Amino acid sequence: MEGAGEDVYCTLLMSDSYLPGALVLAHSLLDSGTRKKLAVLVTLDNLHYTSLAELQKLYDYIIPVERIVNKSPANLYLMDRPDLNATFTKIALWRQQQFRKIVYIDADVVTLRAPDELFELDTSFAAVPDVGWPDCFNSGVMVLNPNLGDFYALLALAQRGVSFDGADQGLLNMHFTNWHRLSFRYNCTPSGHYQYVPAYRHFQSSLNMIHFIGHEKPWLSGRDAPSSSGVYEELLARWWAVHDRHMKPIASSRTSEPTTHTDAGHLPTVSEQTATEDLPIQHPIYIPYKEAQIQSSTPTAVASTPTNVTSSKEEPQTSLSRFSPPMTEWDPSRAPPPADSKPEALNFPQQSYSMSADGELFRPPNAYPEPPKGMYYEVPKTAPKFEPKPLFPWEHTAAKPTRVFADDLPSKPEESSITPPLGEENDVDTASPTTPTINIIPPDAWQNYTRSNAWDDVPEIERYITSMQQARKGRVQVLLDTKAGDEPILSPSIEAGPARRKASLRLTDFPSEVERPSLPVTPAPIRRPSFWGEERNEEGELPAAEGVPKQEEWNPAAKLDELLRRQSEVLMNPEPVSSPPKPIPNREMPSSSVDASKPDFAENKDTNEDDSPGMVPAS
Ligand SMILES: O=c1ccn([C@@H]2O[C@H](COP(=O)(O)OP(=O)(O)O[C@H]3O[C@H](CO)[C@@H](O)[C@H](O)[C@H]3O)[C@@H](O)[C@H]2O)c(=O)[nH]1
Ligand SMILES: [Mn+2]
């Protein structure tokens, strides 16, 4: 790279709304005769191409960088600056290793004197104390040596959202704790609330840079300070002086709420100059910065620009200033949207394309190159076979299926084990597949079947199992009369034939009938000595209970007869309270044939001839 090891002043532009600041900064540096180059980091996603064109006129290097957004922006609300949710992008400075040293300056800074001597500092990082908390530095002006070590450390913090103010200043102060302190004259931040006027008067002549921190930027607030403090107004005038020298007059870029300033010195805002309400807010209108200047018919007297909207009809275009969509306006996780919040769709990234400025008419070439050949897909004649590769070992040796789909028959009849039914020729009728006859498993299949396991011949396993079996065998009887010197009767071993059978673990070596242990037999119960002693009779039974007849004397048939007799006695001599038994009517139950519209069951009775006389109508 040409500028390797170069020294540059560098700023950052992430939105069109800060373009006036970036231009004034560059003009002020060039005006004060710097010998250093100017660079600007830009986030292209949110910048209008005309803004880039403006930058190009003043900056030597325009460096696109990726926007780094703070994904946990809660801390930004502590300082009421949700618009700063992407200032982490600043850390891209440390990645610009093509430069030896960078003096970074915020876009809201105007230089009164080019601070070229900062490049001679023998320190890797220097900054100016912040007026809000002087133990911290303000990250609007920084002297730094780009290096990837710091870059990645900062990036790691940024990605985790580590920053006590949610923006770059909080993050950088957490990383650079031992910073070289520069004089306040390199980053003088006049504030409306607090001024050290005697000090200002004392150091005023040696001021290098004025930094307009906070919401109100010079190009937004206009020429009159929000607080009419003398010092602030004085310094604000320095910004406007540079602005007016090069770029006067422009319409203010304020796109938010209309300002309340009405003095003659105030720049008209968009909302004041035209009825922006008529414009669809989702389609902001950009006009090139330079165009706005040209279109303005009052080139010198910004202060005299009438704020009255109706009187400025000759120059309506000047009002159409650049637009910058707002970033997060509020923290949705903490509060409802503010009443005056802007539409969220304003955040949509915009892509602009410029018309070609080429005045030449299109001329077609004499000949176009031949289109490449063979760039088509040849449809295969036969459907490709998608058969999964065999995975498991047994898939290789798998037996051919004996049952197949009827559709598969005509394709390879010789492979199938299906034989055509008797009486038919060998050619298979494709139109009407016959029920296949399936070959049954050959009768000797079980004989060929291997009955041994891989572990059958491992002696350790065999010994272990045998020892376990012996422990169990102690509990079963085996019909072996070994006392008498009989040889145990054993079944012939499969391998060894009639030879003596060896102890085996094989499950398939079933024991023969004589080898099988006998089943345990339930022993005849033996009467134990009685606990009741003499209470029992000779047979050992308990004495009979009083009033209970002896079992032998109990005649179930006689008892049943007696029960029946008693029952009929009760039925034959009914008590007067009970009604006589009703005969069951010989009549079908009313069904769907019965007129359902007649609600009363009694009415239906008259039409029914099968009614038994004993029928009691429903009441
Ligand atoms: O919409 C935006 C917002 C910021 N910037 C750039 O980011 C810088 C920082 O934003 P700024 O509004 O200048 O912040 P300050 O009001 O100066 O606030 C303080 O806090 C910021 C967040 O920590 C620091 O970046 C500043 O250096 C510090 O002065 C600007 O100068 C621009 O260069 C844009 O280009 N577009
Ligand atoms: Mn700033």
Side-chain angles (χ1 to χ4, degrees):
M1 185 161 216
E2 205 186 56
E6 224 174 350
D7 292 341
V8 286
Y9 287 110
C10 189
T11 188
L12 168 68
L13 188 65
M14 297 188 293
S15 55
D16 294 317
S17 58
Y18 277 69
L19 181 70
L23 297 179
V24 164
L25 170 65
H27 278 303
S28 67
L29 280 166
L30 295 170
D31 284 357
S32 46
T34 179
R35 291 190 308 279
K36 303 292 179 183
K37 294 258 175 87
L38 307 186
V40 55
L41 305 182
V42 292
T43 53
L44 294 177
D45 59 342
N46 206 24
L47 288 180
H48 195 254
Y49 73 98
T50 54
S51 300
L52 294 174
E54 290 296 313
L55 291 175
Q56 251 168 350
K57 291 175 190 162
L58 300 172
Y59 285 88
D60 300 288
Y61 304 112
I62 295 180
I63 304 162
V65 292
E66 238 174 73
R67 180 185 295 274
I68 304 174
V69 177
N70 186 357
K71 297 203 181 75
S72 20
N75 286 349
L76 283 169
Y77 295 86
L78 297 176
M79 54 174 185
D80 196 25
R81 290 297 301 272
D83 55 311
L84 296 181
N85 76 338
T87 56
F88 281 176
T89 310
K90 240 186 230 184
I91 67 176
L93 287 167
W94 278 267
R95 203 179 207 174
Q96 309 307 317
Q97 287 184 291
Q98 68 273 35
F99 304 125
R100 184 191 70 94
K101 214 174 215 9
I102 293 176
V103 172
Y104 170 80
I105 309 175
D106 257 9
D108 55 346
V109 171
V110 63
T111 63
L112 309 183
R113 230 201 96 247
D116 284 4
E117 68 278 6
L118 291 178
F119 290 98
E120 309 313 319
L121 276 179
D122 188 22
T123 174
S124 61
F125 186 81
V128 176
D130 186 85
V131 282
W133 198 267
D135 287 341
C136 295
F137 57 85
N138 180 280
S139 59
V141 173
M142 298 180 286
V143 185
L144 60 111
N145 294 344
N147 70 90
L148 292 183
D150 281 328
F151 172 71
Y152 284 113
L154 291 168
L155 185 65
L157 290 178
Q159 282 167 343
R160 283 157 48 209
V162 177
S163 165
F164 61 73
D165 67 359
D168 64 285
Q169 187 162 307
L171 176 133
L172 292 166
N173 269 283
M174 289 168 91
H175 180 70
F176 295 106
T177 43
N178 288 318
W179 45 283
H180 179 98
R181 201 195 77 133
L182 294 175
S183 162
F184 191 60
R185 285 171 287 190
Y186 287 108
N187 187 357
C188 175
T189 50
S191 112
H193 314 291
Y194 167 79
Q195 305 288 340
Y196 188 6
V197 183
Y200 169 71
R201 296 287 169 225
H202 183 74
F203 291 109
Q204 163 179 34
S205 58
S206 56
L207 280 183
N208 291 292
M209 291 186 261
I210 317 293
H211 183 186
F212 298 94
I213 57 169
H215 257 304
E216 296 291 330
K217 300 302 182 197
W219 58 94
L220 296 176
S221 59
R223 280 154 197 281
D224 55 337
S227 70
S228 296
S229 152
V231 173
Y232 189 88
E233 270 192 327
E234 257 179 66
L235 294 174
L236 187 66
R238 304 295 293 267
W239 189 93
W240 279 108
V242 179
H243 176 272
D244 290 353
R245 190 153 56 235
H246 298 278
M247 311 150 59
K248 62 184 171 181
I250 57 150
S252 162
S253 293
R254 170 170 284 190
T255 54
S256 52
E257 65 284 339
T259 178
T260 49
H261 304 307
T262 48
D263 341 19
H266 166 64
L267 266 179
T269 64
V270 174
S271 43
E272 285 168 333
Q273 282 210 350
T274 53
T276 36
E277 294 78 28
D278 297 345
L279 302 169
I281 198 156
Q282 290 87 351
H283 303 288
I285 293 170
Y286 296 86
I287 56 162
Y289 202 68
K290 273 275 173 315
E291 260 174 58
Q293 294 171 39
I294 295 158
Q295 281 163 4
S296 169
S297 58
T298 52
T300 48
V302 175
S304 65
T305 306
T307 51
N308 190 345
V309 180
T310 49
S311 67
S312 58
K313 272 191 177 162
E314 297 96 324
E315 43 190 272
Q317 287 96 331
T318 50
S319 61
L320 304 174
S321 64
R322 61 195 67 254
F323 168 84
S324 208
M327 302 307 283
T328 324
E329 287 279 315
W330 88 103
D331 186 353
S333 64
R334 288 175 173 225
D340 58 344
S341 64
K342 300 179 190 83
E344 284 170 67
L346 282 177
N347 263 356
F348 271 21
Q350 300 248 343
Q351 182 74 55
S352 314
Y353 300 94
S354 53
M355 282 289 284
S356 168
D358 191 2
E360 286 271 302
L361 281 177
F362 173 70
R363 276 164 203 256
N366 291 333
Y368 287 100
E370 280 289 304
K373 292 200 171 66
M375 287 190 68
Y376 57 89
Y377 173 70
E378 188 152 7
V379 182
K381 299 275 183 303
T382 52
K385 272 207 161 184
F386 295 109
E387 276 185 359
K389 273 188 183 173
L391 262 182
F392 302 101
W394 55 83
E395 287 182 283
H396 297 282
T397 54
K400 281 259 157 60
T402 50
R403 297 181 71 187
V404 290
F405 289 105
D407 294 349
D408 293 345
L409 285 177
S411 58
K412 30 182 181 171
E414 72 284 342
E415 276 182 34
S416 68
S417 59
I418 298 151
T419 55
L422 280 174
E424 271 195 32
E425 294 299 308
N426 253 7
D427 56 321
V428 180
D429 187 3
T430 49
S432 55
T434 51
T435 309
T437 316
I438 298 157
N439 280 349
I440 304 163
I441 305 161
D444 60 341
W446 289 109
Q447 301 306 312
N448 304 333
Y449 177 70
T450 173
R451 298 168 198 211
S452 56
N453 287 313
W455 56 83
D456 280 347
D457 299 321
V458 178
E460 285 83 2
I461 296 176
E462 195 165 307
R463 249 179 278 132
Y464 175 72
I465 300 290
T466 320
S467 69
M468 281 194 20
Q469 283 179 339
Q470 273 166 356
R472 269 198 218 130
K473 261 180 196 157
R475 278 177 241 142
V476 294
Q477 307 165 318
V478 177
L479 294 178
L480 268 186
D481 196 3
T482 42
K483 285 183 297 200
D486 282 2
E487 291 261 328
I489 311 147
L490 298 170
S491 64
S493 162
I494 287 159
E495 298 91 342
R500 177 168 294 241
R501 181 181 166 135
K502 159 178 161 250
S504 170
L505 309 170
R506 279 162 223 208
L507 291 177
T508 44
D509 284 352
F510 298 113
S512 67
E513 202 176 340
V514 276
E515 282 171 358
R516 267 180 244 140
S518 69
L519 290 171
V521 179
T522 311
I526 299 160
R527 205 180 294 281
R528 298 240 169 83
S530 170
F531 170 80
W532 305 97
E534 64 288 349
E535 250 192 272
R536 295 181 178 242
N537 54 22
E538 308 90 68
E539 281 99 34
E541 276 158 1
L542 288 168
E546 252 177 76
V548 178
K550 281 199 168 178
Q551 183 119 14
E552 309 86 72
E553 290 162 13
W554 180 263
N555 185 352
K559 290 287 171 191
L560 255 180
D561 274 348
E562 189 189 331
L563 195 66
L564 205 64
R565 199 165 7 95
R566 282 198 201 169
Q567 177 83 0
S568 41
E569 270 170 21
V570 171
L571 290 175
M572 296 319 277
N573 309 312
E575 294 292 314
V577 284
S578 65
S579 53
K582 295 170 191 168
I584 298 163
N586 182 22
R587 171 183 175 274
E588 279 180 21
M589 290 302 286
S591 65
S592 54
S593 62
V594 177
D595 192 352
S597 66
K598 297 193 174 175
D600 201 345
F601 183 77
E603 285 175 41
N604 284 336
K605 188 200 77 171
D606 302 333
T607 59
N608 198 330
E609 296 183 9
D610 286 349
D611 262 351
S612 83
M615 172 79 186
V616 180
S619 56

